[in-house]
Amino acid sequence: DGQVATLMNAFTYAYPAPTFTVVAPTSGPSVGGTALVLTGTQFLTGATVTVAGVPCLNPTRTSSTRITCTTPPGTPGTADVV
């Protein structure tokens, strides 16, 4: 019958979630200032990183699989990297 229906903007393609495969080094001083290299997948331009919930300083996406940043000061002990 030739009928066509369109609903504009009804679907959104999403980027795959990023993943970390390596965080190096795995420790540093509590005063911060450690240069981190994060290796993984699906890192987008403008990506941010937190260590123990605090933004990592100067995050730089060098490729879709690598981000560098500098750790902020933190409390001694283990910390999540997000």
Side-chain angles (χ1 to χ4, degrees):
D1 69 10
Q3 293 181 340
V4 176
T6 302
L7 180 57
M8 302 300 291
N9 300 314
F11 183 81
T12 301
Y13 285 98
Y15 290 102
T19 61
F20 291 136
T21 54
V22 176
V23 176
T26 57
S27 64
S30 62
V31 296
T34 301
L36 283 184
V37 177
L38 311 170
T39 305
T41 63
Q42 306 299 328
F43 299 152
L44 300 177
T45 300
T48 60
V49 177
T50 62
V51 179
V54 180
C56 208
L57 307 172
N58 304 312
T60 303
R61 176 192 173 268
T62 58
S63 72
S64 65
T65 61
R66 181 179 164 113
I67 296 175
T68 61
C69 66
T70 303
T71 60
T75 303
T78 60
D80 291 338
V81 177
V82 178

